[in-house]
Amino acid sequence: MTDRQIEILIDSLLPLLKAGVLFTIPLALVSFTLGLILAVATALARLSTIRVLRLVARFYVWIIRGTPLLVQLFIIFYGLPYVGIILDPFTASVIGFTLSVGAYGSEIVRAAIQSIQKGQWEAAYSLGMTRWQALRRVILPQAARVSIPPLGSSFISLVKDTSLAATITYVEMFRVAQQINAAKYEPLLIYCTAGAIYLLFCSVLSWLQNVTEKRLARYSAS
């Protein structure tokens, strides 16, 4: 590595880390939080006794899972202005990622709810609970514990997927890397540095996920 490359590396680290902490992680957190709410609602709609709700939820999941996330972002940011809906890059990114998390997360939540033994429902009914009360007080808390590991993996994937927001001009970490490369023209060095920071973030999140899973396993065993 030449002196110039070392200098570029040092100069790039802080802006990339700053963009990651101030823009990439918050974008992932906001999108995941909203997406999780949407995922629970969609999962409940898929399990509803109301046929219209089931069909709408199934159609939404089918559309989102069957089309690339990049295409969805382009439609939201570049396509919607043609029908009079203009969104800033952050809002467009949040909507795109939220819809994606909601669709994929709903399948996780639905599977977790269906994994709860029918005896749990029957026990709740025997206590005089309605279906909604049984779901809220008995089933969902248990399903939440089951779904935490796969949802944790989904969040880690989302942190990496936020790099796609650069394609709609949102200035997150990968967009900053592109801007630095445009000025310095050291693509291998700069993009490897950005990749290393993504790896750092995801490694920390994976460690937190493992810690959470171990605590849940301990509580389940006790």
Side-chain angles (χ1 to χ4, degrees), residues 31-41 98 101-102 105 109 151:
S31 300
F32 188 78
T33 301
L34 296 176
L36 189 57
I37 295 172
L38 180 59
V40 173
T98 295
V101 171
V109 175
L151 287 175

Side-chain angles (χ1 to χ4, degrees), residues 63-201:
I63 288 291
I64 299 299
R65 295 181 68 188
T67 56
L69 178 55
L70 183 59
V71 173
Q72 296 163 18
L73 289 172
F74 270 52
I75 290 173
I76 294 169
F77 186 71
Y78 295 112
L80 290 183
Y82 284 90
V83 294
I85 302 175
I86 300 175
L87 302 171
D88 61 86
F90 176 76
T91 302
S93 299
V94 168
I95 292 174
F97 294 133
T98 295
L99 291 174
S100 179
V101 171
Y104 286 94
S106 69
E107 294 299 283
I108 295 174
V109 175
R110 182 170 67 92
I113 292 174
Q114 292 179 323
S115 71
I116 306 302
Q117 296 179 355
K118 291 183 179 180
Q120 298 291 323
W121 289 96
E122 295 170 355
Y125 292 150
S126 68
L127 294 175
M129 294 185 187
T130 63
R131 177 180 173 81
W132 170 246
Q133 289 174 329
L135 183 67
R136 181 168 56 89
R137 298 178 181 178
V138 179
I139 305 302
L140 282 181
Q142 296 181 70
R145 180 174 294 180
V146 173
S147 61
I148 281 178
L151 287 175
S153 297
S154 296
F155 180 69
I156 293 171
S157 295
L158 178 61
V159 170
K160 295 180 292 182
D161 288 342
T162 55
S163 60
L164 293 174
T167 62
I168 58 172
T169 71
Y170 180 64
V171 187
E172 45 69 67
M173 185 166 62
F174 189 69
R175 181 68 173 178
V176 171
Q178 290 178 319
Q179 293 173 344
I180 295 173
N181 180 61
K184 304 295 184 180
Y185 199 69
E186 282 287 349
L188 180 62
L189 174 64
I190 292 170
Y191 291 139
C192 283
T193 303
I197 296 174
Y198 279 112
L199 180 61
L200 174 63
F201 287 166

Side-chain angles (χ1 to χ4, degrees), residues 152-153 156 199-213:
S153 297
I156 293 171
L199 180 61
L200 174 63
F201 287 166
C202 292
S203 296
V204 172
L205 292 171
S206 295
W207 175 77
L208 291 174
Q209 180 184 0
N210 291 334
V211 171
T212 302
E213 289 181 16

